[in-house]
Amino acid sequence: MYPPAFNYSAPTSVEEVLTTLTNEGDGARVLAGGQSLIPMMKLRLASPAFLVDINGVAGLDYINDVNGHVAIGALVRHNDIVKSDTISSTNHTMASAAPWIADPIVRNRGTLCGSVAHCDPEGDWNSVMLAARAEVVAQSASGERVIPIDDFIVDFFTNSLQPGEIVKEVRVPKYSGRGGGAYMKLERKIGDYATVGVASQFELDGDGKIAQAGIALTAVNAKNTRATAAEQVLVGETPSDELFREAGEAAAQAAEPETNVRGTAEWKREVVSVYTRRGLETALAQAQA
Amino acid sequence: MQINLTLNGAEQSADVEPRYLLVDYIRGTGNTGTHIGCDTTSCGACTVLVNGTPMKSCTMFAVQANGTSITTVEGLKQNGELHPIQTAFKEKHGLQCGFCTPGMMLTGVALLEENDDPTEDEIRWAISGNICRCTGYVNIVKAVQHAGSLIREN
Ligand SMILES: Cc1cc2nc3c(=O)[nH]c(=O)nc-3n(C[C@H](O)[C@H](O)[C@H](O)COP(=O)(O)OP(=O)(O)OC[C@H]3O[C@@H](n4cnc5c(N)ncnc54)[C@H](O)[C@@H]3O)c2cc1C
Ligand code: FES
Ligand code: FES
């Protein structure tokens, strides 16, 4: 299968990427791992006139622990996250999600920032980013702005980047106290998108009460969705089985799944409830470890 | 666009349209061991090593391989000798129709580069992006394990 013809450039610096995007205007798209964009182009669901390939840009493959957050550059592949000690020692939710993104070969090429930019409601990373309250650093020829993930995800396959902007990095805050998290994903087989995915994360204060909580859902709404009511159930409370069950039920209320080949709406809602509870139990064990 | 790359150790250059897929470029050079199964990034039959890392060549443009070094199944044999992974697939009967085999072997080679004594679970996890419709995977797993022991013996 072949996409319609397009023009292509492979700049070697961020500046050059940004000038090319500005010059080429609306028809230009960033090509990162290409693991979503190329299949879409081959199926002619996307037909950009110009591809700006960022794979040759030096210095975008960093995972840096700085100023209370971990910064993940635009060319960090899913598999780099699987292998990263910085990630496994700072954010359990990311560490548990990474091995479940796509399959091992796709993970060698696809990027975290590309997934975040893509805003596929069946994509896993944006739920993890919502739970972790990440920020997206957008860069254009005229400068940088930092966008909270809630404002970045606009709708399915729609982000809030302006023309000429790229995702330069994603910033994942580190726990300020004791914290834990998990990404629970139900998939039919390896390489399949989630039937249901739930990211749960929280931090404990000095008294062992939940200081801050993040819960977000994959594949059960038109976009990755924060389960705000479930978070509110948790904050200020002491962790308990009963509390986690209540949060699970609240999370299920935030899901508006569709019945499709992957299962019925009713069943998916039930999975959200169970996976929220189990994710929170895992998070608690980590926070207390 | 002009591209220059190394394919199985030999320098190549070509003038290709940006949309020309890497898999078709490779097959066009006569290296037809790289197969097209699904053409939708799902099966791994088109797996090649790009600078040593397994990639699905149906989901890369040939222009993106500019400046890289690519290994296909044809490049595994060295000085007339089969690569240990090839010997192992032969000895353990790790294939039936052979369609998935080039991709399986290249993924296996990359795994064994990192870890020459993988467990069954590690092998199954590593090859989970390569689909086989024939074997049921049992002999593929055994072949990768056997290749590991051949490499360790050397
Ligand atoms: C078989 C298969 C299974 C998969 N399974 C899963 C799964 O289970 N879970 C999951 O989450 N994902 C899955 N994916 C998708 C995969 O994670 C992709 O890697 C990811 O969606 C996109 O990242 P990319 O780097 O490949 O982006 P690309 O495909 O290169 O780009 C995707 C979109 O984002 C834009 N973009 C990319 N990078 C930037 C940037 N830095 N700045 C601005 N815009 C940018 C592009 O212009 C394009 O519109 C799967 C893919 C395949 C092929
Ligand atoms: S042909 Fe490339 S993954 Fe199937
Ligand atoms: S041997 Fe036939 S597909 Fe694997």
Side-chain angles (χ1 to χ4, degrees):
Chain A
M1 294 182 298
Y2 268 81
F6 54 84
N7 289 314
Y8 170 91
S9 77
T12 52
S13 71
V14 173
E15 293 66 38
E16 217 186 316
V17 168
L18 298 172
T19 348
T20 314
L21 279 177
T22 308
N23 293 345
E24 295 302 325
D26 270 358
R29 283 281 267 281
V30 170
L31 176 63
Q35 301 300 292
S36 293
L37 184 54
I38 296 176
M40 284 176 73
M41 289 172 66
K42 288 171 73 180
L43 294 166
R44 303 205 171 200
L45 296 171
S47 30
F50 198 105
L51 284 189
V52 185
D53 185 347
I54 62 171
N55 287 282
V57 178
L60 284 180
D61 57 354
Y62 55 87
I63 301 180
N64 289 338
D65 185 342
V66 275
N67 303 331
H69 65 255
V70 175
I72 300 148
L75 283 179
V76 172
R77 319 281 171 182
H78 305 307
N79 203 30
D80 298 331
I81 296 172
V82 174
K83 291 181 179 170
S84 165
D85 293 335
T86 307
I87 298 294
S88 59
S89 63
T90 53
N91 189 284
H92 300 92
T93 326
M94 283 190 77
S96 71
W100 295 103
I101 309 293
D103 66 43
I105 312 178
V106 170
R107 283 200 292 278
N108 284 336
R109 187 90 184 148
T111 64
L112 177 129
C113 288
S115 293
V116 168
H118 193 47
C119 286
D120 182 339
E122 294 185 337
D124 300 298
W125 280 127
N126 275 348
S127 292
V128 176
M129 295 305 138
L130 283 165
R133 294 193 155 70
E135 292 174 327
V136 175
V137 180
Q139 194 173 10
S140 69
S142 56
E144 247 182 46
R145 62 188 180 112
V146 179
I147 310 167
I149 189 70
D150 293 80
D151 299 332
F152 183 81
I153 305 167
V154 176
D155 206 341
F156 71 107
F157 300 109
T158 311
N159 63 41
S160 63
L161 288 180
Q162 297 294 316
E165 276 183 332
I166 64 162
V167 174
K168 184 193 151 213
E169 69 180 35
V170 167
R171 291 179 183 166
V172 179
K174 297 208 294 180
Y175 308 136
S176 44
R178 289 176 295 155
Y183 187 67
M184 306 280 301
K185 178 178 180 179
L186 180 67
E187 58 181 21
R188 295 177 302 176
K189 58 174 274 291
I190 287 195
D192 194 16
Y193 286 87
T195 301
V196 174
V198 181
S200 317
Q201 180 174 325
F202 62 76
E203 289 173 35
L204 297 175
D205 64 18
D207 303 326
K209 290 199 160 68
I210 295 176
Q212 183 179 314
I215 297 179
L217 315 179
T218 306
V220 289
N221 295 87
K223 56 179 183 175
N224 301 73
T225 296
R226 180 184 296 290
T228 309
E231 294 174 347
Q232 284 165 353
V233 165
L234 296 169
V235 174
E237 304 294 329
T238 304
S240 70
D241 291 350
E242 186 47 39
L243 186 74
F244 290 170
R245 181 161 292 122
E246 212 183 305
E249 281 160 19
Q253 292 302 313
E256 291 166 358
E258 283 177 9
T259 295
N260 62 14
V261 288
R262 293 192 175 88
T264 63
E266 189 190 6
W267 175 64
K268 290 181 190 177
R269 211 175 276 116
E270 185 59 25
V271 175
V272 169
S273 168
V274 173
Y275 274 20
T276 304
R277 178 164 55 75
R278 288 190 196 160
L280 291 169
E281 286 164 5
T282 308
L284 181 62
Q286 290 159 343
Q288 291 176 336
Chain B
M1 273 186 75
Q2 186 69 26
I3 56 167
N4 302 295
L5 59 125
T6 309
L7 180 59
N8 296 329
E11 313 241 318
Q12 308 263 335
S13 57
D15 187 18
V16 295
E17 233 194 301
R19 62 174 168 166
Y20 197 40
L21 294 171
L22 179 59
V23 68
D24 286 325
Y25 169 76
I26 290 170
R27 289 176 59 82
T29 60
N31 292 289
T32 51
T34 305
H35 293 155
I36 302 173
C38 62
D39 206 6
T40 55
T41 331
S42 308
C43 73
C46 63
T47 304
V48 299
L49 302 182
V50 180
N51 296 332
T53 303
M55 303 271 169
K56 294 180 179 179
S57 61
C58 72
T59 313
M60 272 181 75
F61 297 114
V63 286
Q64 297 190 278
N66 188 31
T68 66
S69 172
I70 290 188
T71 306
T72 69
V73 66
E74 291 86 350
L76 288 178
K77 201 162 86 171
Q78 294 290 325
N79 309 319
E81 298 254 336
L82 291 183
H83 187 283
I85 196 106
Q86 293 173 304
T87 308
F89 268 70
K90 188 176 159 211
E91 289 178 359
K92 294 292 169 187
H93 200 75
L95 64 149
Q96 289 180 22
C97 78
F99 199 82
C100 68
T101 314
M104 285 289 180
M105 291 199 296
L106 290 161
T107 300
V109 167
L111 168 67
L112 295 171
E113 283 283 322
E114 281 188 9
N115 172 9
D116 65 11
D117 193 11
T119 63
E120 174 173 347
D121 276 357
E122 286 166 342
I123 295 170
R124 286 187 179 271
W125 186 251
I127 63 169
S128 59
N130 296 81
I131 292 174
C132 176
R133 300 306 298 265
C134 304
T135 64
Y137 302 96
V138 173
N139 286 357
I140 294 176
V141 173
K142 284 185 187 157
V144 177
Q145 261 164 344
H146 184 47
S149 58
L150 293 176
I151 289 169
R152 291 196 307 278
E153 278 163 24
N154 262 320

